Structure formats: C-alpha cells, structure tokens
Amino acid sequence: MTLPVSVQIITLNEEMNIADCINSVLENDPAEIVVIDGGSGDRTVDIAKSLGTTVLTPGRLGRGASRILGYESTTLPYVAMVDADDRLASNWLEISLDQLEAGNYAALQSSLRTWGCRNFWETGWNEYYIESIKPQSDVVMVGHPAIYRREALLAARRDVGNDHEDTQLSIDFQARGFRQGIGTAISRRVVPMNGRENLRKWFAYGRGYRDLVLKHPDRRCAIRKHMFVTIPFTRGWAPVRRGKLLQPLFCLLMAGSIIGGFYSRENRDD
C-alpha cells in the first residue's frame, strides 16, 4: 500500500551512499521521494534520477533552506526527512506513520543503530545511539530520520540555519506546543570508519552548537551540560554495564572534539 508520505533527502556529493539509501526508502512504498541536491560534483543527481526520484537542484542553499524547499514542494500530508547515510528497515515508514498518528505527534524520530559494528568507531556510535535515542512518548529534540506532519512544518519559523537544523526546528516546535517523540521503528546509519573523519565531524558539531547558542542564548546552559556531562559521562559509562568497556573512551573523544569546535575561533563572530 502506497503511503501518503514525501520522503526527502538532502544531498551533496553522496554518490557512494545515495543508491542504497533510496533503495531502502523504495521498500517502504512512499508516495514520492524528493532529493534536494546542494550542487554535487559527482554522480549523485544522475543516480537519484535513475531510481525514479524527483530531484531538485537549487544549489548550495544550506540544509535549513533546503529542508524548507523540500516540504514546500510537496502537497502530501506527511514528510519524512532522511539523510543519505540512513538505511531504513522495510517497515520503517508504516510503523512511524502509525505511531505519529496514534500519538498525535507533530514529529516522530526513528530509533537508530549503526549499519555494522565492525570496529571501534561503528561500535561506539551504535552504543551511543542505544543510550541517546530511545523510544519516548515526549521529547524536546527530534533528529533524523524522522516523520513530520507537513502542516506543522509549514507553521514553523523560516529562519532555520544550516547547522543542527533539526534541533532548531525542534526548538520551534517546542515553543509552539507541538508534540514530539521517538518511535520504535529502527533505521541503520552508515557512520565514519576512522578517527580523522569522526573527529572532523564532531568538531563541526561543536561549531554548530556554538551557532545554535548564538541564535538561542537561553540554550547555553543545556548545550554546555550536554557537552561536558551528558556525552562523556551519562552516555559514556552506562554501556560499561553491558560489557562495552571502550565506550567511555569513545564518548570522551566525541565530547572533547565537540568542545573544541564550540570554543574554536574558526568563523567566530561572537
């Protein structure tokens, strides 16, 4: 049964990921798949078109503006936001839509696991997801992949920035009193396989948190607690009880890199 959902994927040079991502989405039978490409120089657009998706090529708008373009381009009542490194289970969309409706949510995030646990980095991410993204009836932050009511997205602010755009959207939803949650459907994510890529990713997270705090100063204490306490301690030590003895090291590396990005002088304007 075709589901009344527009599944939307933002891309930039994702030729190694996009086919597997789209194929996993196709197994969920959505009414449409929209790829919003930010100016890829590889075969991302050609691959996406060959798989029957609608491809928008607005250039480098940034993630926030690309998200807005995507959900404004559809008339379907539900929008699922997926990244190219996500691999959806075949029943992901059906479960997510059912739970969104049953709970009267405006946004419902997926539970997450990694695509594999073949080394320190994949295992670390998998344990991090287990600790940080658990099914909950009500949350204040929703990440991706997630499903949204389009009417809620259209009511949201339009000045969503390019970093942590999902967090900015969640802040807006919370202010409007929209219900958000985390569902039981599981998506698997392809994560960086080496230290250099992960440290670079986390450093960028830190810069994004800094920009988020500049835009939402009331979140400063919450973001600092997240960086200095939640990541390295709460999420680092709980998996030790399951025998994951290296998880504290993984989370310390993550927290340290994020803190470094947050306090870096790179592109700093505060």
Side-chain angles (χ1 to χ4, degrees), residues 32-52:
E32 70 178 13
I33 303 174
V34 179
V35 172
I36 306 103
D37 188 73
S40 294
D42 60 9
R43 297 181 57 249
T44 299
V45 169
D46 292 338
I47 294 170
K49 287 181 177 178
S50 74
L51 293 172

Side-chain angles (χ1 to χ4, degrees), residues 10 39 54 65 74 81 86 152 162 178 180 221 228 247 250 256 264:
I10 291 176
T54 298
T74 187
M81 296 184 184
D86 292 324
N162 299 330
F178 292 168
Q180 305 175 88
C221 289
F228 285 97
Q247 193 63 17
F250 177 88
S264 71

Side-chain angles (χ1 to χ4, degrees), residues 4 29 33 35 47 69 71 78 121 149 154 163 180 195-196 201 203 215 221 231-232 235 238 241 244 260:
D29 202 16
I33 303 174
V35 172
I47 294 170
L69 175 64
Y71 63 70
Y78 304 100
W121 304 105
R149 295 181 188 272
L154 292 174
D163 293 311
Q180 305 175 88
R196 178 176 294 182
K201 184 182 186 76
F203 193 87
K215 193 169 187 177
C221 289
I231 295 176
R235 295 175 182 170
R241 296 194 298 268
K244 304 299 181 181

